[in-house]
Amino acid sequence: MKILDHYEQAPGQSFEGDAVKGVVGRVVIGKNDGADNFCMRIFTLSPGGNTPRHAHQWEHEIFIHEGKGKLLNDGQWAAIQRGSVIFIPGMEEHQLKNDSDQDLVFACLIPKGVAEL
């Protein structure tokens, strides 16, 4: 069993580039913890930040923990906020953007066998 008092206890990895801005990712539960089926990651998007626009074979599930922003959904931008729950099927293009003045924090679950970050 693993218990973190706060997700920020997990080491953060910053992402910056042409397609990604202001993103910190943390693996809070993963293969190093003995998780055989899923990986839980926590991402923080700073104000004005965004994940890359992308698609991949696996599904994933997202829970918005804090803040608000937008999600690219079927070519349209949908508002997301604290408490929003999102299911993204495999091969569906998606992107998250923080268009607010506060951090956007979300949990993201992915299956085993893919890169954890």
Side-chain angles (χ1 to χ4, degrees):
M1 182 180 294
K2 175 182 181 177
I3 299 173
L4 293 177
D5 291 329
H6 196 276
Y7 68 88
E8 289 181 334
Q9 288 178 289
Q13 180 177 339
S14 295
F15 296 90
E16 292 285 342
D18 294 337
V20 62
K21 178 182 174 188
V23 176
V24 174
R26 302 170 191 278
V27 175
V28 293
I29 301 171
K31 62 185 173 194
N32 289 341
D33 302 305
D36 293 330
N37 298 299
F38 301 99
C39 172
M40 179 186 288
R41 310 171 304 172
I42 305 292
F43 288 98
T44 302
L45 276 63
S46 61
N50 62 269
T51 65
R53 186 178 290 202
H54 66 288
H56 39 67
Q57 292 182 329
W58 60 90
E59 69 179 56
H60 57 111
E61 294 77 19
I62 295 174
F63 173 74
I64 306 299
H65 173 68
E66 183 180 318
K68 60 183 179 177
K70 292 187 182 336
L71 168 72
L72 181 65
N73 176 26
D74 202 22
Q76 303 292 319
W77 289 100
I80 54 174
Q81 62 188 357
R82 181 178 180 264
S84 295
V85 176
I86 303 160
F87 171 68
I88 302 174
M91 300 312 297
E92 187 169 307
E93 186 177 54
H94 55 283
Q95 181 180 30
L96 285 89
K97 287 186 178 183
N98 182 352
D99 61 354
S100 77
D101 60 358
Q102 298 179 355
D103 284 347
L104 173 63
V105 180
F106 61 93
C108 176
L109 298 175
I110 58 171
K112 69 176 180 180
V114 298
E116 292 187 332
L117 274 183

